[in-house]
Amino acid sequence: MSSVEERGEVGVAAAPGSSSGGLGVVAVGTALEAVVGGPSMQEEVSIRRGEGLGPESDPDEPPPKKRMRLPEGESGKLEERLYSVLCCTVCLDLPKASVYQCTNGHLMCAGCFIHLLADSRLKEEQATCPNCRCEISKSLCCRNLAVEKAVSELPTDCPFCLKQFPRSSLERHQREECQDRVTQCKYKRIGCPWKGPFHELPAHEEECCHPTKTGTELMGILGEMDQSHSRELTLYNSIFSLLCYEKIGFTEVQFRPYRTDDFITRLYYETPRFTVLNQTWVLKARVNDSERNPNLSCKRTLSFQLILKSKVNSAIECSFLLLKGPYDDVRIKPVIHHHAFSNDTNETDYVPLPITDSVECNKLLAAKNINLRLFIFQIQK
């Protein structure tokens, strides 16, 4: 038999003009197929030689891109490896929002990064990376946008229906699409306490007994709701009333960190002197009401006091409140405080800074300075 027929027994028909080196390609392809379990080089050669030269192929078109197939089970292992590579070095969890990296490339989620900076401020130490101990700060570290994008594309389970979705689309799925997401009855405004999966909502609303309640029964429910709304309305009405005062002053204040002279120094904040309503004032703040080791506590709070530095001839009755500064993203709920300032009572008691939680407190502690806005309203007698 001819050499071409012998090659045909091997399973590959060589194209005209091809050399006998094709046997080596077939052998390598067969070996790769046995090891990897994917398509062999033999199949790729037949595709290139057979389909690529068919009558329907266009010579001007670029060749199709090759795509490597992973054996079954390899994709899951790849995801697990990516989880271990892209996780935060502090909490060992995948970041949910911003990702920061030290100068050596170690990753930290935004919450842990802010917490490290806040702890270093409380302990009067330089913040360092938990892995390599290099210095970290907001100026030395930067966000890693590539990791943020990669994490957003990794699959994760929906906590309601347990199906997998990319992290970037999970929030929309939970909010709009998931049939097992927890929802409330539309009659909750008149006291229905039902909560359940979304797919059971129509059946419940058809059988809900609250629309058939009498007016007397609903009055008690609506009374409780009115109490919570009235507290919010009272706050806003008080603010609008203060805006009608004749003497109103406001200024941007900057709390700067200092240390006490005690044997175990404590962190406190103080602003430079500022002038509002022709009087000189100072603000002071402390962490966890001067707790001995606030860095060991997970719950952190800030409290502040307003001090009048000027000498006055008569008492000055004022209302004041602190709000977030124009360039900060910290969330502060407005609370109005009152005090009558005189030469003997020139300091208010320490009052809580109305931030929402410890996460917001850590944001303030991690910053170089705390920038807020102070309003003072002088009550005319």
Side-chain angles (χ1 to χ4, degrees), residues 295-315:
N295 57 293
L296 302 179
S297 174
C298 294
K299 185 178 181 181
R300 291 172 183 172
T301 60
L302 280 170
S303 54
F304 72 98
Q305 68 171 170
L306 179 62
I307 304 173
L308 174 65
K309 289 295 185 179
S310 302
K311 297 296 182 181
V312 292
N313 297 324
S314 59

Side-chain angles (χ1 to χ4, degrees), residues 119-359:
D119 281 351
S120 66
R121 176 60 56 82
L122 292 172
K123 295 186 288 187
E124 198 179 11
E125 297 176 355
Q126 174 61 50
T128 58
C129 171
N131 269 20
C132 61
R133 299 303 174 187
C134 69
E135 294 184 1
I136 59 174
S137 66
K138 287 190 174 181
S139 59
L140 293 175
C141 296
C142 63
R143 288 177 61 182
N144 192 319
L145 301 182
V147 171
E148 292 179 13
K149 181 64 176 176
V151 170
S152 69
E153 296 300 326
L154 286 176
T156 186
D157 293 334
C158 172
F160 303 118
C161 63
L162 302 180
K163 296 179 181 178
Q164 284 198 340
F165 297 90
R167 290 172 177 264
S168 57
S169 61
L170 179 63
E171 183 178 354
R172 180 175 60 84
H173 166 76
Q174 291 178 341
R175 186 178 61 251
E176 302 174 2
E177 301 172 355
C178 184
Q179 294 297 309
D180 293 327
R181 67 184 186 271
V182 177
T183 186
Q184 292 181 286
C185 177
K186 66 179 180 181
Y187 300 113
K188 66 177 181 179
R189 296 181 62 83
I190 55 175
C192 179
W194 183 88
K195 290 183 180 180
F198 179 77
H199 64 83
E200 297 180 3
L201 179 63
H204 164 77
E205 290 180 347
E206 290 181 2
E207 302 174 355
C208 185
C209 61
H210 281 73
T212 60
K213 285 182 178 289
T214 63
T216 305
E217 293 173 329
L218 293 177
M219 285 300 295
I221 300 172
L222 296 176
E224 297 177 0
M225 298 175 62
D226 287 342
Q227 289 181 2
S228 61
H229 291 312
S230 64
R231 286 192 292 268
E232 297 179 2
L233 187 61
T234 301
L235 172 62
Y236 290 115
N237 287 337
S238 301
I239 293 177
F240 289 136
S241 299
L242 292 174
L243 293 175
C244 299
Y245 284 12
E246 179 182 357
K247 294 185 177 181
I248 302 175
F250 73 93
T251 185
E252 314 299 330
V253 293
Q254 186 179 79
F255 289 87
R256 298 176 181 174
Y258 296 95
R259 290 280 167 177
T260 62
D261 296 331
D262 302 334
F263 178 73
I264 299 177
T265 61
R266 290 183 174 86
L267 173 69
Y268 73 97
Y269 288 85
E270 187 172 333
T271 65
R273 295 192 178 196
F274 56 90
T275 301
V276 176
L277 300 178
N278 298 322
Q279 306 292 338
T280 304
W281 310 82
V282 165
L283 278 167
K284 288 185 177 182
R286 61 189 185 187
V287 184
N288 287 14
D289 289 328
S290 295
E291 183 182 350
R292 183 171 183 177
N293 292 311
N295 57 293
L296 302 179
S297 174
C298 294
K299 185 178 181 181
R300 291 172 183 172
T301 60
L302 280 170
S303 54
F304 72 98
Q305 68 171 170
L306 179 62
I307 304 173
L308 174 65
K309 289 295 185 179
S310 302
K311 297 296 182 181
V312 292
N313 297 324
S314 59
I316 302 176
E317 190 173 354
C318 295
S319 298
F320 62 94
L321 72 155
L322 274 177
L323 299 175
K324 75 181 188 71
Y327 306 110
D328 286 339
D329 60 347
V330 63
R331 290 175 291 180
I332 297 180
K333 298 178 181 179
V335 176
I336 302 172
H337 305 281
H338 306 276
H339 189 76
F341 293 92
S342 64
N343 293 331
D344 296 329
T345 57
N346 64 331
E347 298 181 357
T348 68
D349 295 330
Y350 275 92
V351 292
L353 183 66
I355 50 182
T356 55
D357 51 28
S358 298
V359 175

Side-chain angles (χ1 to χ4, degrees), residues 40-106:
S40 67
M41 191 75 74
Q42 176 182 353
E43 295 174 352
E44 295 183 4
V45 172
S46 63
I47 290 174
R48 290 203 302 268
R49 294 181 179 176
E51 297 177 7
L53 298 176
E56 298 180 357
S57 63
D58 188 354
D60 296 331
E61 290 184 359
K65 295 181 179 179
K66 295 187 230 177
R67 190 171 182 181
M68 180 178 177
R69 294 183 186 174
L70 291 175
E72 294 183 3
E74 287 293 324
S75 59
K77 295 179 182 178
L78 177 61
E79 290 173 5
E80 293 176 3
R81 293 199 298 271
L82 286 176
Y83 279 119
S84 62
V85 170
L86 301 178
C87 69
C88 170
T89 59
V90 182
C91 64
L92 302 179
D93 197 3
L94 282 179
K96 294 183 174 67
S98 303
V99 181
Y100 291 87
Q101 66 176 24
C102 71
T103 53
N104 292 325
H106 297 123

